[in-house]
Amino acid sequence: MPTPTTEFADVTGSEASMRRFLHGLPGVDQVGAEARAASLGTRSIKTTAKAQAIDLAISMVDLTTLEGQDTPGKVRALASKAVHPDPADPTCPQVAAVCVYPDMVAIAKETLGSSGINVAAVATAFPSGRAALDIKLADTRDAVEAGADEIDMVIDRGAFLSGRYLQVFEEIVAVREACTRADGTGAHLKVIFETGELQTLDNVRRASWLAMLAGAHFIKTSTGKVQPAATLPVTLVMLQAVRDFRDTTGQMVGVKPAGGIRTSKDAIKYLVMVNEVAGTDWLDPDWFRFGASTLLNELLMQRTKLTTGRYSGPDYFTLD
């Protein structure tokens, strides 16, 4: 797991130096970013390539339930579906992770068993992030001790938008440290920006670099609770950031768009963008994920159509 980048110690040593660095990043041409995202979204992917893309997208899904009405039974059913998304077709790949609230981690972990599917838990006063740091850290430790393989934390958007960048940085570092268990093992950390509240693509780029400097393993667009959630232009900027970060430091960081991605056509647009912007190394569940609750069924319906020539209705697969 990446650690805070020591070669940038001078950048992260004070509020003033952090501000100079983040505001010194190249500005984002919003019109240009939107135009490039739209252009990449027009690429035509057909037949064998489309089938491969759908299977890859399925393997990148973080199958998610984050509702106040979640029950142990619902989480068990979701975890079972994660292992066998299409019980009628054993060739269907399993998903990357199941994402739940911390109190459901143990149930998801038990159900998934030795499947190799990760359990992700949202933490740090998700989705608002409005809590004292000690509460955020306790929230994280509880999920990690329950067996979470990944922690999805939210940044303090109020602090970020107020320019208190060092505070946000230090919170990410502290949460990353809380992801480590007593035996030395730990959970990977995904840092959620809630890009719908960040107002500009320049802020998305700044948040991306701030999180990566703090040791994030993944950067993530959204909680799924605020609109707009994931968008192609926002994800484009984040992919550019992880590409540039690797060029600078040699470290890879993953990207997870979440919220609002509902169709196989949309998922394939994101995969095209990953390939064109970041590169083929990111076309792997270890480095790119979809945060979704409804996307999987759409991917399964398209997969069945490609395999059988028949389009199954939405009721053919279990509802998430």
Side-chain angles (χ1 to χ4, degrees):
M1 181 174 180
T3 56
T5 309
T6 54
E7 66 192 273
F8 285 93
D10 57 332
V11 169
T12 60
S14 71
E15 189 72 74
S17 59
M18 178 75 82
R19 173 180 291 276
R20 278 195 301 271
F21 176 80
L22 294 179
H23 285 262
L25 292 170
V28 180
D29 175 358
Q30 181 164 342
V31 174
E34 291 172 352
R36 188 172 185 208
S39 173
L40 291 172
T42 64
R43 299 286 176 87
S44 179
I45 308 295
K46 298 185 182 299
T47 59
T48 303
K50 183 176 181 180
Q52 292 172 343
I54 287 174
D55 276 6
L56 180 59
I58 291 172
S59 74
M60 292 173 163
V61 167
D62 282 4
L63 193 56
T64 302
T65 182
L66 297 170
E67 302 296 335
Q69 60 186 350
D70 286 345
T71 63
K74 181 179 181 181
V75 170
R76 289 191 189 98
L78 199 72
S80 296
K81 181 171 182 174
V83 179
H84 300 293
D86 183 356
D89 184 355
T91 69
C92 182
Q94 60 186 27
V95 305
V98 171
C99 186
V100 294
Y101 278 116
D103 63 319
M104 294 292 179
V105 166
I107 293 165
K109 196 77 177 173
E110 179 186 11
T111 308
L112 291 169
S114 60
S115 66
I117 297 173
N118 289 336
V119 175
V122 296
T124 65
F126 177 94
S128 69
R130 306 248 54 90
L133 180 58
D134 58 343
I135 294 174
K136 294 179 181 181
L137 297 179
D139 195 24
T140 301
R141 293 189 189 104
D142 284 349
V144 171
E145 289 304 316
D149 304 293
E150 301 169 3
I151 294 294
D152 289 27
M153 72 165 285
V154 289
I155 66 166
D156 183 335
R157 283 86 74 190
F160 180 89
L161 292 170
S162 299
R164 302 197 305 275
Y165 301 129
L166 193 61
Q167 176 185 331
V168 179
F169 173 85
E170 289 174 345
E171 282 201 357
I172 296 171
V173 171
V175 173
R176 186 186 58 80
E177 291 173 353
C179 288
T180 303
R181 301 182 183 90
D183 63 1
T185 64
H188 281 166
L189 179 63
K190 304 198 204 83
V191 178
I192 309 171
F193 302 147
E194 200 67 287
T195 52
E197 294 182 348
L198 292 191
Q199 302 171 357
T200 69
L201 293 179
D202 284 331
N203 276 339
V204 172
R205 176 166 287 170
R206 291 169 188 147
S208 298
W209 273 87
L210 186 157
M212 292 187 293
L213 291 173
H217 184 261
F218 260 77
I219 53 177
K220 177 179 172 183
T221 62
S222 321
T223 64
K225 306 296 185 183
V226 170
Q227 295 301 321
T231 67
L232 287 167
V234 159
T235 306
L236 171 71
V237 171
M238 292 169 65
L239 288 167
Q240 290 171 336
V242 297
R243 177 200 64 199
D244 295 345
F245 188 77
R246 185 174 72 168
D247 288 346
T248 303
T249 67
Q251 294 182 8
M252 277 184 72
V253 175
V255 176
K256 178 181 173 180
I261 305 170
R262 295 185 174 87
T263 70
S264 58
K265 182 180 293 186
D266 287 341
I268 290 172
K269 288 179 182 179
Y270 279 91
L271 295 181
V272 169
M273 180 177 289
V274 172
N275 183 66
E276 295 292 327
V277 176
T280 56
D281 287 349
W282 273 268
L283 287 174
D284 185 290
D286 285 342
W287 301 110
F288 192 79
R289 301 280 184 83
F290 293 104
S293 57
T294 60
L295 174 63
L296 180 58
N297 272 6
E298 167 66 16
L299 291 167
L300 293 173
M301 285 188 285
Q302 291 296 332
R303 189 178 191 274
T304 300
K305 182 183 179 183
L306 289 174
T307 303
T308 67
R310 299 186 304 274
Y311 190 84
S312 301
D315 295 336
Y316 183 81
F317 300 101
T318 57
L319 298 176
D320 302 331

